[in-house]
Amino acid sequence: MKDALMERLKIFLHREDNRTLVGIPASEEEIAKAQQRLNVSFHEDYIHFIKTFGGAYAGLAIHAFSNGSSLGNETVIDLTLGFRDQFKEPPFAEVLRTSYVISMDGSGDPIIINQAGKVFICYHDTGRSSCWRIPSGS
């Protein structure tokens, strides 16, 4: 994650009026247990974010283990296991087996990171299940 982006997030999220958007930073133990439970390796950018902010709002809710109170209580484990249980057929099943759900869009579609750090959104209500890679910004 670019240093300039992290600095902008720190300035935004550490403002007094945004304290409900920031959770408690994730510990090494929480991260290790989650990776083991989900059988994935979290990407270094996600780890950096959750070790700095916990579950926080950064344009969308990024769930970790202890989220900001405005985000709700669902953890990355809850979201991932819930979607894995719900979607057992292709193409979701293959994507979810090696990835983890960090958020949802406004329609309840999971936003996923794979182990290479690529971000995907999987649309489930279009009549045809599909997963699309979200291009990274420059």
Side-chain angles (χ1 to χ4, degrees):
M1 185 173 296
K2 294 183 179 179
D3 292 337
L5 175 58
M6 280 300 286
E7 284 307 311
R8 290 195 330 252
L9 285 169
K10 285 178 186 177
I11 291 167
F12 173 74
L13 290 171
H14 290 145
R15 288 187 352 206
E16 181 66 27
D17 57 333
N18 288 336
R19 67 176 174 224
T20 65
L21 302 178
V22 181
I24 297 170
S27 70
E28 291 287 344
E29 182 179 353
E30 288 173 313
I31 293 167
K33 284 182 179 180
Q35 291 179 119
Q36 182 177 17
R37 176 115 188 256
L38 298 174
N39 196 31
V40 297
S41 293
F42 291 156
H43 189 269
E44 64 188 51
D45 287 344
Y46 178 67
I47 291 173
H48 186 209
F49 183 90
I50 66 174
K51 286 176 80 174
T52 304
F53 304 113
Y57 181 82
L60 64 116
I62 308 289
H63 292 261
F65 311 110
S66 178
N67 304 319
S69 61
S70 295
L71 277 67
N73 297 323
E74 298 89 4
T75 68
V76 63
I77 296 169
D78 299 334
L79 291 173
T80 302
L81 294 178
F83 278 103
R84 284 179 181 174
D85 189 51
Q86 185 177 1
F87 297 105
K88 296 182 180 180
E89 301 296 323
F92 288 151
E94 292 91 16
V95 173
L96 289 167
R97 184 173 33 86
T98 59
S99 304
Y100 46 99
V101 179
I102 61 160
S103 190
M104 290 183 291
D105 72 0
S107 299
D109 298 314
I111 298 173
I112 298 165
I113 300 178
N114 71 10
Q115 294 188 74
K118 306 293 184 214
V119 179
F120 292 83
I121 186 165
C122 292
Y123 298 105
H124 69 281
D125 59 357
T126 58
R128 193 180 96 201
S129 298
S130 58
C131 294
W132 297 91
R133 181 169 174 242
I134 300 172
S136 60
S138 305

